[in-house]
Amino acid sequence: MGFNVAIDGPAGAGKSTIAKLVAAEEGLVYVDTGAMYRGLAVYFLGLGISAEETDRLAAACREVTMEIGYAGSVQQVYVNGENITGRLREESVGNMASRCAAVPAVRECLLDLQRRLAKTQNVIMDGRDIGTCVLPQADLKIFLTASVETRARRRYLELKEKGVACDLEEIAADIRERDERDSTRKTAPLKQAADAVLIDSSDLSIEEVVAVIASLCREKRKTPN
Ligand code: DC
């Protein structure tokens, strides 16, 4: 088993930004599990399957292969041998990912890959159920959150910077809807693990959050579980 750090939390809490920086500082491999759900979403959308067609989703899962690679430190997702990383951030893909992530067969399809990656290397893995389901024995668990308003404002500024027209209220509504769906689904809902450290990043800078988590990593490496 490698040294494993789990970071869970709602959409837009800054998990991937923080996890990448902690990974670089602590020499860990960053594993983005949301990208895996997004990868499957690209595949399902390509097959014309909707999130409600659970039998078809399950059948498609039996046919798919997913692999994770790295271009430098940037995670790449391969679906049936094709690198589909460039499509992962599309809005329709994010929505489909959130919907199909509620389907047990879809979660089952990714579980083995996620556990295998954590077994063979030192990882910091972000998602919704890493501390509760995927890696319940993780050396360090973080639950990273921020208020809906803060998360919506961050997303708004990010999109504006890219020149994408957007509306703050619409973004906040979308975040609320995604939170509700991710945390109320029956299988592996978004939930803080009992032994996770809660960090609310609403009033903290990225550097401050990274410093807290990096310091917790160093402590845990000195005195493992
Ligand atoms: O973190 P993200 O926004 O890229 O994730 C996309 C969707 O995938 C998210 O709405 C919920 C789902 N997801 C999940 O259910 N479990 C995970 N471990 C990671 C993501």
Side-chain angles (χ1 to χ4, degrees), residues 18-79:
I18 303 284
K20 276 181 210 157
L21 291 166
V22 173
E25 203 160 302
E26 294 301 306
L28 306 170
V29 175
Y30 168 54
V31 180
D32 173 358
T33 63
M36 298 180 189
Y37 286 94
R38 287 171 184 263
L40 284 185
V42 170
Y43 168 62
F44 297 143
L45 288 170
L47 292 174
I49 308 178
S50 77
E52 288 69 42
E53 295 176 287
T54 51
D55 288 347
R56 287 188 73 199
L57 289 176
C61 282
R62 288 192 288 275
E63 299 296 315
V64 75
T65 62
M66 175 170 292
E67 281 146 43
I68 297 302
Y70 289 87
S73 60
V74 183
Q75 178 179 299
Q76 308 289 309
V77 177
Y78 298 83
V79 173

Side-chain angles (χ1 to χ4, degrees), residues 11 15 32-35 37-38 89 94 97-98 101 107 114 126-130 178 182 185:
K15 297 185 299 293
D32 173 358
T33 63
Y37 286 94
R38 287 171 184 263
R89 296 290 135 197
S98 170
R107 305 202 70 80
Q114 292 165 352
D126 89 11
R128 304 293 189 286
D129 62 334
I130 310 305
R178 202 174 285 198
D182 290 347
R185 68 180 177 223

Side-chain angles (χ1 to χ4, degrees), residues 9 12-13 18 31 60 63 74 92 110 112 135 150 170 177 180 193 197 203 208 216 223:
I18 303 284
V31 180
E63 299 296 315
V74 183
S92 59
L110 296 176
D112 188 52
L135 305 175
T150 304
E170 257 174 44
E177 192 188 319
E180 171 75 13
V197 177
D203 297 315
E208 285 170 319
L216 287 169
T223 52

Side-chain angles (χ1 to χ4, degrees), residues 5 20 55 113 171 199:
V5 181
K20 276 181 210 157
D55 288 347
L113 171 62
I171 294 174
I199 301 179

Side-chain angles (χ1 to χ4, degrees), residues 192-206:
Q192 183 182 342
D195 51 352
V197 177
L198 174 66
I199 301 179
D200 184 330
S201 73
S202 302
D203 297 315
L204 296 173
S205 67
I206 291 173

